[in-house]
Amino acid sequence: PPTPPAGQEITPYYVPIIGWTFPNSFSEASNDIETKNTYSDLDGKFELVLEFTRLEDFLTNISAYYDDLGIYPGNVEILINEETIKSGQPIYVLMPPTVKLAENNILETDSININGTAAPNVNINIYIYNDSQFRIYQVTTDNFGFWELNLQNDLPPGEYSIYAVADNIYGFISLPSSVYNLTINPRPIIGTGEALPGDKIRRYFDQDQLVPIVSRIEQLAYWSAIGLIAFSLFGLIFEIFSLILLGLNQIATWLGIIPARDPWGVVYNSDTKKPVDLAIVRLYNTETKKQVESKVTDKNGRYGFLVKKGKYIIKVAKHDFRFPALGSYGLYDGRYTNIYLGEEITVHQDNEIINLNIPITPKETIKQALTKKGTYNLRRLQYYLGVVSFPLLSLGFVISIAIALLHGGFVNYFIMLVYFGALVYKIYKMSIQPKPWGLIYDSKTGLPISMAIVKIIDPEYDRIMETKLTDPDGRFAFLVVPGKYIVQVEKTGYQFPTNACVLINKKKKFDWYCGQVFEIKSEKEAYINIDIPLDRAANA
């Protein structure tokens, strides 16, 4: 602040900001003077206080986001000047809702499904319109900030726009959400001479055409089987390649060909691998939940922290970038090693340097990932391939043994050894890396259930210790100390525990969890990694 004239003092001005958004969201207010951030509580409420030493016009940007679910409400800009600073009166902000269409291209006989998020227990007004039609629908978010609208379409075919606005019990109204497009197509009319899909399918059941089709299916099945067996090795290629690069990097370091590990870390673009300057890197103590230190990266993306013994996490903020980075990372990413993706860091002695390399992803990539349905299909494909990877690897090993015994030859024996080495590596990896997360899945289909609410409870005092929402792969994670616990799961349209629990003989070991008390006996078991099935409700 400027130095006041002799005998005068600078009067500070405080602007309290009170807002509502999705629960447990990271909320931030920033302008040219300062940046303040916090987390909203389980009711979605957050409070920030900005301090000024002079009265000028400051355009303050308020943002909120929930990384784990990819929830990013639109930002809100407020002008702070002499008119808005009046006796420290608070500025109230209701963050805009988010909107997602299940399908943005439907037939006129289909139903319209729209869902999204906002602050808990607020009204959501959904507007659907074009030049000639206009509809308004209203729903209310639940206690966790989710909302959904299902309605039978009564709009004529055409192009429509959709957006939503929230309002709460205190009379505050949010800015509109982003505008989304909806296309309603006319239903095909039978008898116009245009063949329907069913007609085309029925034509192929003519006997003269059936034989070549079966032959093609057999060929496709054969090559698909070969491809699936090859996939059993495909998932290991990147890990092995990463280990080779890491080993070469270490050897080059020992020989002095390349310098040893730098005493700083680098924040870099996960897509281009280029350093990112002017990124804010914040270090938090996980035990006290307080910020220890913050750094701004230089033009080469560098930062570093000299810390005392303890446990820490790092958070990175940069306009138009997301942290933690999207994608899968091994021990080696391009020229970077020691990759940090948001996990807890344990420092064992004082005066250690934290110099991990941190990838961050451009937000444009995130927008594309959220809007393209193909991303969801790819994730589901990855899930299925991950389930069958180990069985296919075992099958490939058995087939390679049979081929080597029947035909011999150097190539066949070499392939058998490759399968054997990959199988040993996979078993070793599974044995030394217990998964640090649990899975919520549909008891009938086996598919993961996203956005389920998972609570861990202390049974002695019957208090909720922590609440999590499952990610798009149905996963959740709790890191706890030794003791006794209970896990509870809630998801609209599902029931917990599964009906199969009433059939369990309690004297026998069972693989699914039914809400009973369990005990964590050592620090090595600190991750709650149980898999929990849910039954779909009868009326769902």
Side-chain angles (χ1 to χ4, degrees), residues 277-288:
D277 63 348
L278 301 180
I280 303 173
V281 186
R282 298 184 176 96
L283 181 70
Y284 294 87
N285 187 305
T286 58
E287 296 175 350
T288 63

Side-chain angles (χ1 to χ4, degrees), residues 420-482:
F420 176 74
L423 190 61
V424 170
Y425 174 77
K426 188 74 173 179
I427 295 174
Y428 172 73
K429 184 180 177 183
M430 293 169 61
S431 65
I432 64 171
Q433 290 187 359
K435 61 171 185 166
W437 40 263
L439 179 69
I440 306 299
Y441 64 96
D442 189 306
S443 61
K444 185 175 182 180
T445 66
L447 293 177
I449 300 174
S450 63
M451 291 191 288
I453 301 159
V454 188
K455 303 175 182 177
I456 185 163
I457 298 172
D458 182 347
E460 183 177 357
Y461 301 100
D462 194 26
R463 64 185 179 91
I464 299 173
M465 301 182 63
E466 195 173 1
T467 301
K468 295 279 189 178
L469 289 164
T470 56
D471 67 10
D473 294 321
R475 297 178 299 185
F476 70 94
F478 292 112
L479 184 61
V480 298
V481 297

Side-chain angles (χ1 to χ4, degrees), residues 48-64:
L48 298 164
V49 178
L50 298 177
E51 180 180 349
F52 303 90
T53 56
R54 63 181 187 270
L55 289 177
E56 293 182 9
D57 291 354
F58 299 108
L59 190 61
T60 297
N61 183 72
I62 302 175
S63 61

Side-chain angles (χ1 to χ4, degrees), residues 371-388:
T371 55
K372 290 184 180 178
K373 186 178 178 182
T375 302
Y376 167 75
N377 294 328
L378 178 61
R379 293 182 70 90
R380 187 165 64 174
L381 176 62
Q382 291 174 340
Y383 169 77
Y384 285 123
L385 293 179
V387 171
V388 301

Side-chain angles (χ1 to χ4, degrees), residues 155-177:
L155 293 165
E159 301 289 336
Y160 293 86
S161 298
I162 296 177
Y163 70 90
V165 176
D167 64 82
N168 63 11
I169 60 174
Y170 305 107
F172 297 105
I173 302 174
S174 75
L175 291 175
S177 69

Side-chain angles (χ1 to χ4, degrees), residues 126-143:
I126 302 104
Y127 299 85
I128 305 178
Y129 63 94
N130 64 9
D131 293 338
S132 60
Q133 299 289 330
F134 187 83
R135 301 284 192 280
I136 302 177
Y137 303 94
Q138 188 176 82
V139 296
T140 303
T141 59
D142 61 19
N143 293 333

Side-chain angles (χ1 to χ4, degrees), residues 187-196 199 202:
R187 181 179 181 275
I189 301 175
I190 300 176
T192 61
E194 181 182 353
L196 296 175
D199 299 329
R202 282 190 290 273

